[in-house]
Amino acid sequence: MNTNQGTLFRRDFTLVVIGQIISLFGSAILRFALPLYLLRQTGSPALFGAVGAAAFIPAVLCAPIGGVVADRVNKRNIMVLLDFSTAGLILVFALLLDWAPLVPLMAVCLMLLYGIAGAYQPAVQASIPLLARAEQLTSANAVINMVQTLSALLGPVTGGVLFGAFGIRPILWVGSLCFFLSAVMELFIRIPHTPRAAAGSALATVRQDLGESWRFIRRERPVFLSVVLVLALFNLVLSAALVVGIPVAVVQVLGMSDSRLGLTQGAMGLGGLFGGLLTACLGARLPLRRGGAVLLAASATAAGMGAALLPGVPALPGWWGVTAMSFAVMVLSTMLTVVLSAAVQGRTPPELLGKVMSFIMAVSSCAAPLGQAVYGALFERCPAWAVLLGAAGAAALTAVYSRQVFRALASDSGAEV
């Protein structure tokens, strides 16, 4: 573990935070505008869901590789390289937009964007225990999550205004500039790094490192597998429904403008910011064993969205209902994510942390592409309110099952929670 003393906001942690603010803001406006542009151009929820599902696949596949690399390569160099690469990717996309077929171009761009993000996040997660003391892990994770959610707040709002007024082009230039500036700032970060000898070829090294992390989870922390299962189920039945359903509900069902959609997704960012602030203030006092109750409350937000879309509900009150529930679901999910991240980090040796975190992220996210594809088809064929109420019911069943899993994780002796 690190040897830092005193305040959490020392030089290098602060630079990581600032770099994340810039980079994630660029990512947020792109993730808002690119799928919306596709939905506006095609008018097809099924195509919208299918492209979104395809985009998640590289993120799932790249996360374990990113974890292996994060445990062997200087984490600063990973962040710098991937941010420069993303800036170049968006520039190429902007140049090809006028003459390349939209759907395949959009699918390839989003797949690369999500794949880079999947490889990037393990480096960030694995750097936190090296820059914060053990008793600061919950607060440090809360700060990183607040940065993510602040970007998720400002990105859609800014993207909605720019997209509604000027179209897609300014968003592409702003996004590319953000990634470039973030990479330049990250050049000055110092993250402790101990080189490890490779196990032969790159493929052999990846195989050995992933096998090492799997053996640790299976033998030392089998409760992690149960946590991954719960998160995967929740991503399948609820998260995917909201990713596809919120834009469809606001734009197509309620007939609201792009700026209104930006405000709704900005409310999600505000909810995440509030959840992160609350978690940072409470720190280790948050009871992990109550995770099932948090997931059950998140299920209720999907039911609230479905109720806001029932026949007879006027469009404006319906939009306010969807927006309020978007805020609430992000408060709950952010609190749970922060506490879970700190619990896993506290129970995992530093040399395995990148791989273990990436394994959890990858496996728990692998259900999202399937869920998005299924929900895209459902929203095209069924009333949105019925789809959301059904998703809420399935998520509630998952939350009830998860209670015993969170109790087991809280009782594990690997670290204080």
Side-chain angles (χ1 to χ4, degrees), residues 262-281:
L263 290 173
T264 299
Q265 296 195 341
M268 296 179 71
L270 184 61
L273 181 62
F274 181 79
L277 285 169
L278 186 59
T279 309
C281 292

Side-chain angles (χ1 to χ4, degrees), residues 7 19 55 93 103 144 159 179 182 189 233 294 339 354 374 378 385 393 410:
T7 179
F93 177 83
V103 175
I144 295 297
F179 285 108
S182 176
I189 298 173
L233 288 173
V294 174
V339 174
V374 170
L378 287 175
W385 62 266

Side-chain angles (χ1 to χ4, degrees), residues 344-357:
V344 171
Q345 290 168 349
R347 292 163 166 77
T348 305
E351 67 274 12
L352 297 177
L353 188 54
K355 295 184 286 291
V356 171
M357 292 295 293

Side-chain angles (χ1 to χ4, degrees), residues 166-375:
F166 305 107
I168 194 69
R169 290 281 178 187
I171 293 174
L172 298 177
W173 306 134
V174 170
S176 182
L177 179 63
C178 285
F179 285 108
F180 178 82
L181 293 176
S182 176
V184 171
M185 175 165 291
E186 288 161 350
L187 287 170
F188 300 96
I189 298 173
R190 297 171 301 187
I191 300 176
H193 172 64
T194 303
R196 297 178 59 194
S201 67
L203 182 60
T205 300
V206 170
R207 187 185 303 115
Q208 174 184 293
D209 283 9
L210 292 180
E212 185 181 9
S213 63
W214 167 249
R215 286 189 295 272
F216 168 77
I217 292 172
R218 182 168 57 87
R219 296 174 183 174
E220 303 293 332
R221 297 288 181 266
V223 69
F224 286 1
L225 296 176
S226 298
V227 172
V228 167
L229 175 61
V230 167
L231 295 177
L233 288 173
F234 218 74
N235 282 331
L236 175 67
V237 300
L238 185 65
S239 298
L242 300 183
V243 168
V244 177
I246 290 175
V248 170
V250 173
V251 172
Q252 292 194 330
V253 178
L254 299 173
M256 294 292 170
S257 65
D258 300 327
S259 297
R260 293 265 183 170
L261 175 60
L263 290 173
T264 299
Q265 296 195 341
M268 296 179 71
L270 184 61
L273 181 62
F274 181 79
L277 285 169
L278 186 59
T279 309
C281 292
L282 294 176
R285 289 173 289 173
L286 282 174
L288 181 58
R289 60 177 52 86
R290 300 291 186 182
V294 174
L295 293 183
L296 189 61
S299 305
T301 64
M305 289 185 193
L309 301 176
L310 285 170
V313 177
L316 188 58
W319 175 74
W320 278 110
V322 170
T323 301
M325 292 300 100
S326 299
F327 172 85
V329 73
M330 283 304 298
V331 172
L332 297 166
S333 62
T334 299
M335 293 177 67
L336 188 62
T337 298
V338 170
V339 174
L340 275 176
S341 296
V344 171
Q345 290 168 349
R347 292 163 166 77
T348 305
E351 67 274 12
L352 297 177
L353 188 54
K355 295 184 286 291
V356 171
M357 292 295 293
S358 65
F359 172 84
I360 292 174
M361 290 190 303
V363 177
S364 63
S365 299
C366 67
L370 174 62
Q372 289 190 37
V374 170
Y375 279 115

Side-chain angles (χ1 to χ4, degrees), residues 396-410:
L397 293 176
T398 303
V400 171
Y401 162 73
S402 73
R403 289 185 298 180
Q404 60 185 341
V405 174
F406 287 111
R407 290 194 190 104
L409 181 61

Side-chain angles (χ1 to χ4, degrees), residues 69-75 191-198 351:
V69 175
D71 286 337
R72 289 186 173 273
V73 179
N74 190 303
K75 298 164 186 61
I191 300 176
H193 172 64
T194 303
R196 297 178 59 194
E351 67 274 12

